[in-house]
Amino acid sequence: MTNSEKKLLKVKTNLMRNHFGLASIMMSLEFIQDESINTMATDGRVLMYSEKFIEEHDEKTLSAVIIHEVLHVIFEHPYNRGDRNPKLWNVACDYCINEYVTQELHMSLPANALLDRQYFGMSEYKIYSILDNDDEALQKAKDQMTESDMPQDEDAENSADTSSNAEGDQEETDKYSDIPDSIGEIIDPTDEEGKPLDEAKKQDLVKVLKRNIYQAEKLASLDGSSDLRGIVEKTVSYTHLRAHEPVLDIGCRLLLEKKKGVGGG
């Protein structure tokens, strides 16, 4: 076992101890070392990491970045991009989850993490729309992402072309090609041949994810608390969940309704 693997094992053990619900979802992901990744990344099934990134950051920061990636999985960000620009989608999804990581879980993300209270509680779709139509907001995001000395891929300017095969990405490359790499990326899921998954296969993965979330939330609630329930209530509005329902199955939704007193319960 390498030093980075030992470090990751310690981080994952601490997360299981302190954030059982979220860490339960983490444990369903296969951790794979991939030096083509600058930091960490997920396609919803695996969590890829750079050994250099592991070596250069302390355990508290790594814990936060792993939870960051887990939240991308929980909110199905790898499966819901559609034909949106992959770089801008990553930015919007980061804004959607990072305030929860820092303000609610009190974890410390790297200095260049995307944080802006104006987006707290907004869906990733709404944030994407704002960034897509407001050049000033987009530039603010870019400035935040370059505040630290996080290593950038030499081919970062072209990564918008290669990160997705979806139609419509090419025409937006010039507008978004200078968006820096995120602290934790979202990658479109592919099959064994490297081809994008079709919607049917994505939905099969989502069904498994929903079951995992439901079971993790139930187990984490045995002691009267659940960090998964906190995410549902504080990171995304209940109306948003009702509209999109990609995160929770009917069992989790009923638990949420009971706690919030929806329908007079």
Side-chain angles (χ1 to χ4, degrees):
M1 183 178 289
T2 66
N3 288 335
S4 62
E5 289 173 333
K6 291 178 181 178
K7 194 173 185 179
L8 274 177
L9 179 59
K10 186 176 181 180
V11 169
K12 288 191 282 186
T13 300
N14 288 334
L15 286 173
M16 285 298 293
R17 183 180 298 115
N18 299 312
H19 299 283
F20 181 77
L22 290 165
S24 296
I25 304 303
M26 171 195 71
M27 295 303 292
S28 69
L29 304 174
E30 180 182 4
F31 278 62
I32 298 176
Q33 181 183 339
D34 187 339
E35 294 309 312
S36 70
I37 303 296
N38 284 328
T39 56
M40 292 185 180
T42 185
D43 68 351
R45 300 166 297 179
V46 303
L47 194 156
M48 293 158 277
Y49 65 90
S50 161
E51 184 175 34
K52 182 179 180 182
F53 182 75
I54 301 301
E55 293 174 347
E56 291 179 346
H57 291 80
D58 60 34
E59 292 173 11
K60 288 185 177 180
T61 302
L62 292 175
S63 294
V65 178
I66 288 174
I67 291 300
H68 167 99
E69 291 299 293
V70 169
L71 290 174
H72 280 318
V73 175
I74 289 173
F75 289 119
E76 302 174 25
H77 292 159
Y79 306 123
N80 293 333
R81 183 176 69 82
D83 61 358
R84 298 175 183 87
N85 179 271
K87 278 180 167 286
L88 190 63
W89 178 245
N90 208 134
V91 171
C93 292
D94 279 4
Y95 272 133
C96 180
I97 64 178
N98 282 347
E99 287 285 348
Y100 184 83
V101 175
T102 59
Q103 300 301 315
E104 304 298 324
L105 298 179
H106 306 292
M107 303 179 84
S108 299
L109 289 164
N112 62 328
L114 287 164
L115 293 164
D116 195 324
R117 291 293 292 181
Q118 72 169 313
Y119 299 125
F120 189 60
M122 285 189 190
S123 73
E124 58 271 38
Y125 308 103
K126 177 64 174 177
I127 298 170
Y128 184 97
S129 179
I130 291 173
L131 296 171
D132 194 29
N133 293 286
D134 186 335
D135 290 342
E136 184 176 341
L138 178 58
Q139 186 58 51
K140 182 179 179 181
K142 293 177 183 177
D143 292 342
Q144 278 189 289
M145 297 174 78
T146 55
E147 285 182 357
S148 75
D149 58 353
M150 188 187 79
Q152 293 292 314
D153 191 338
E154 292 180 358
D155 297 323
E157 291 188 355
N158 298 319
S159 62
D161 291 333
T162 59
S163 58
S164 171
N165 295 318
E167 294 182 2
D169 288 345
Q170 181 64 42
E171 64 186 30
E172 294 182 338
T173 298
D174 291 340
K175 183 176 181 180
Y176 301 123
S177 61
D178 62 340
I179 295 177
D181 289 339
S182 170
I183 59 166
E185 299 183 60
I186 306 166
I187 296 177
D188 292 343
T190 58
D191 61 20
E192 295 180 355
E193 297 179 354
K195 298 178 181 179
L197 295 184
D198 59 34
E199 287 303 315
K201 291 181 179 179
K202 287 181 182 179
Q203 288 307 307
D204 287 341
L205 292 173
V206 167
K207 289 178 182 178
V208 174
L209 173 61
K210 288 178 179 178
R211 287 197 297 270
N212 290 341
I213 292 171
Y214 178 56
Q215 292 169 357
E217 198 278 335
K218 292 270 285 185
L219 289 173
S221 296
L222 291 177
D223 64 354
S225 65
S226 171
D227 46 16
L228 282 172
R229 181 175 296 171
I231 292 166
V232 172
E233 294 184 344
K234 298 174 183 177
T235 304
V236 182
S237 70
Y238 181 75
T239 301
H240 172 63
L241 285 177
R242 276 289 200 177
H244 297 282
E245 292 262 331
V247 180
L248 303 180
D249 63 11
I250 185 66
C252 281
R253 179 158 60 80
L254 289 175
L255 284 172
L256 180 59
E257 288 180 347
K258 181 177 181 181
K259 183 169 183 180
K260 293 178 72 69
V262 175

